[in-house]
Amino acid sequence: MLLQPDLGLLFWMLVSFGIVFFILAKFGFPIIVKMVDDRKAFIDKSLDAAKAANERLAGIQEESERILKQSRDEEIRILKEAQDTRSKIIGEAKEQAAVEAGKLIAEAKAAIQKEKEMAIRDIRNQVADLSISVAEKVLRKNLDNPSAQRELVQKLIEEAQKN
């Protein structure tokens, strides 16, 4: 069996739906549309703020990269200056050491020359003393004998005449 719809009920349902639709169209839809528009405006505003924030972030990143590059350049410059200063100090120290070494070598050579001259003088004095001592001993031995004395004097005269 098929159920037959009741036309009266259908009519009243249709009228009720119309009244609810009218009330919603008059009062509900404008509020819903306003809320959707407000939400859309808020989303648009948030998107604009996010876009501005991204632009600011890009600007900040560029600025940080510029500052980082500047600090690297400054670091390179400072290291180069330090290396130049180190090289200069080392060069000056080497020059000063060479001058000091030259002075020390000159002083050492002078001291060695002085010691050498003193040693030669001392050796000559010792040789002279030994020669005199030997000559004295030889002369005493040879001069004990009068004929040997005459012979020695004769030899000395002959050598003096030759020279």
Side-chain angles (χ1 to χ4, degrees):
M1 159 168 65
L2 280 171
L3 290 176
Q4 297 264 338
D6 186 13
L7 288 179
L9 182 63
L10 193 57
F11 173 74
W12 282 113
M13 283 175 73
L14 192 56
V15 170
S16 296
F17 178 75
I19 291 172
V20 169
F21 184 75
F22 175 74
I23 291 173
L24 280 175
K26 178 86 174 164
F27 299 108
F29 287 144
I31 291 173
I32 292 172
V33 169
K34 182 179 182 279
M35 286 175 57
V36 168
D37 287 343
D38 288 346
R39 179 70 178 163
K40 182 182 179 279
F42 176 75
I43 290 171
D44 288 343
K45 187 177 176 184
S46 295
L47 286 174
D48 289 342
K51 186 178 178 182
N54 280 339
E55 289 173 358
R56 279 195 1 228
L57 180 62
I60 290 171
Q61 284 177 337
E62 288 174 4
E63 180 69 16
S64 68
E65 288 174 6
R66 185 186 62 78
I67 290 172
L68 187 60
K69 183 184 181 306
Q70 195 175 28
S71 68
R72 285 183 187 140
D73 292 345
E74 184 69 15
E75 177 186 10
I76 289 169
R77 184 189 63 80
I78 289 172
L79 287 174
K80 186 177 184 305
E81 284 180 7
Q83 188 176 11
D84 291 345
T85 302
R86 186 194 85 197
S87 297
K88 182 180 175 184
I89 289 172
I90 289 172
E92 289 174 357
K94 284 182 180 179
E95 286 178 21
Q96 189 174 8
V99 168
E100 289 296 322
K103 285 181 184 178
L104 289 175
I105 289 171
E107 289 174 3
K109 283 182 179 179
I112 290 170
Q113 184 64 31
K114 187 175 179 182
E115 288 291 326
K116 180 180 169 184
E117 289 172 2
M118 287 174 53
I120 290 172
R121 191 176 321 121
D122 188 39
I123 289 172
R124 284 184 182 160
N125 287 337
Q126 288 178 5
V127 168
D129 287 343
L130 284 174
S131 295
I132 291 172
S133 174
V134 168
E136 182 179 325
K137 288 179 183 177
V138 168
L139 286 176
R140 278 191 191 160
K141 184 178 178 187
N142 287 337
L143 293 180
D144 287 344
N145 181 346
S147 67
Q149 287 178 9
R150 281 192 201 116
E151 192 177 314
L152 179 63
V153 172
Q154 197 63 32
K155 270 186 182 177
L156 290 174
I157 292 174
E158 287 175 9
E159 284 180 15
Q161 287 176 354
K162 286 181 184 177
N163 291 333

